[in-house]
Amino acid sequence: MDGLRQRVEHFLEQRNLVTEVLGALEAKTGVEKRYLAAAVTLLSLYLLFGYGASLLCNLIGFVYPAYASIKAIESPSKDDDTVWLTYWVVYALFGLAEFFSDLLLSWFPFYYVGKCAFLLFCMAPRPWNGALMLYQRVVRPLFLRHHGAVDRIMNDLSGRALDAAAGITRNVLQVLARSRAGITPVAVAGPSTPLEADLKPSQTPQPKDK
């Protein structure tokens, strides 16, 4: 047990990507790196063998970023707004890709561990923020290359949707107007005709005696 602990502490003293990320988290949260490493290890084991791994991944990728986004909105600085807006863009694209691949990838034993690691990587503090890296290297070049065509398609679709909605509304109004015009008023009992009014009881023809 002491040997394992010594090896873990020796690994945490080395300089690599994992220890730098843990160091940045330690500086931000005030929690020692060894405790953070222990928490990450327990989380990985639970995602491998525990129940509700999908729900846990979604909570990790949504709850804290939502809380941090609210804090960013309320803060006077705009840098944190950019960071979390970038995270939500990457998160939305990841969710779209996951929708089509989840049925296949969810059967792999390390899927939820990899998904959780990816989400933590996307919300990691600078300079190891994965969302900013993916945005600068993948999302932004694609956006600058194709945003004109996307804007034209969206404008065309919105125009067609408005025309269709206007046509449906016009047809509905026409149907309502026709149905209202087709309702005949109920006949109201009025005064008797002049012939009936002038006819006195004495003038009413009597039946003849046989």
Side-chain angles (χ1 to χ4, degrees):
M1 190 69 180
D2 292 337
L4 178 61
R5 181 179 178 180
Q6 291 177 358
R7 278 185 287 180
V8 171
E9 291 181 353
H10 177 69
F11 172 78
L12 294 176
E13 292 174 357
Q14 296 178 357
R15 185 177 178 83
N16 51 51
L17 177 60
V18 176
T19 56
E20 289 185 3
V21 172
L22 290 175
L25 291 174
E26 180 182 16
K28 189 171 183 178
T29 61
V31 182
E32 296 183 11
K33 285 191 294 185
R34 56 179 179 176
Y35 296 121
L36 292 173
V40 170
T41 303
L42 292 176
L43 177 63
S44 301
L45 292 175
Y46 183 84
L47 291 174
L48 284 174
F49 306 107
Y51 179 76
S54 177
L55 177 61
L56 181 60
C57 278
N58 291 328
L59 288 176
I60 292 173
F62 182 79
V63 174
Y64 174 74
Y67 172 73
S69 299
I70 295 174
K71 290 182 63 177
I73 293 172
E74 297 299 328
S75 67
S77 176
K78 296 300 180 183
D79 293 337
D80 48 1
D81 297 0
T82 303
V83 170
W84 290 110
L85 279 173
T86 305
Y87 171 83
W88 289 116
V89 169
V90 175
Y91 183 84
L93 294 176
F94 174 75
L96 182 63
E98 187 186 27
F99 176 79
F100 296 101
S101 61
D102 185 60
L103 293 177
L104 298 175
L105 296 179
S106 60
W107 292 98
F108 288 88
F110 296 98
Y111 171 69
Y112 291 112
V113 176
K115 177 182 175 180
C116 185
F118 173 77
L119 294 176
L120 291 174
F121 171 64
C122 287
M123 67 180 76
R126 294 182 178 182
W128 303 107
N129 187 278
L132 293 175
M133 294 181 184
L134 290 173
Y135 180 82
Q136 293 293 336
R137 298 179 182 180
V138 179
V139 179
R140 188 171 183 271
L142 290 175
F143 172 77
L144 294 178
R145 191 180 307 166
H146 302 290
H147 75 93
V150 174
D151 289 342
R152 287 192 297 271
I153 293 174
M154 294 300 294
N155 291 331
D156 183 51
L157 291 177
S158 62
R160 292 184 181 181
L162 290 175
D163 293 339
I168 293 173
T169 304
R170 183 170 57 252
N171 293 334
V172 171
L173 293 176
Q174 290 176 355
V175 171
L176 291 176
R178 290 173 183 174
S179 62
R180 182 175 298 178
I183 298 176
T184 57
V186 179
V188 180
S192 58
T193 60
L195 181 61
E196 294 175 351
D198 295 336
L199 186 63
K200 298 180 179 179
S202 59
Q203 296 175 345
T204 303
Q206 300 295 329
K208 295 180 180 181
D209 295 335
K210 293 182 180 181

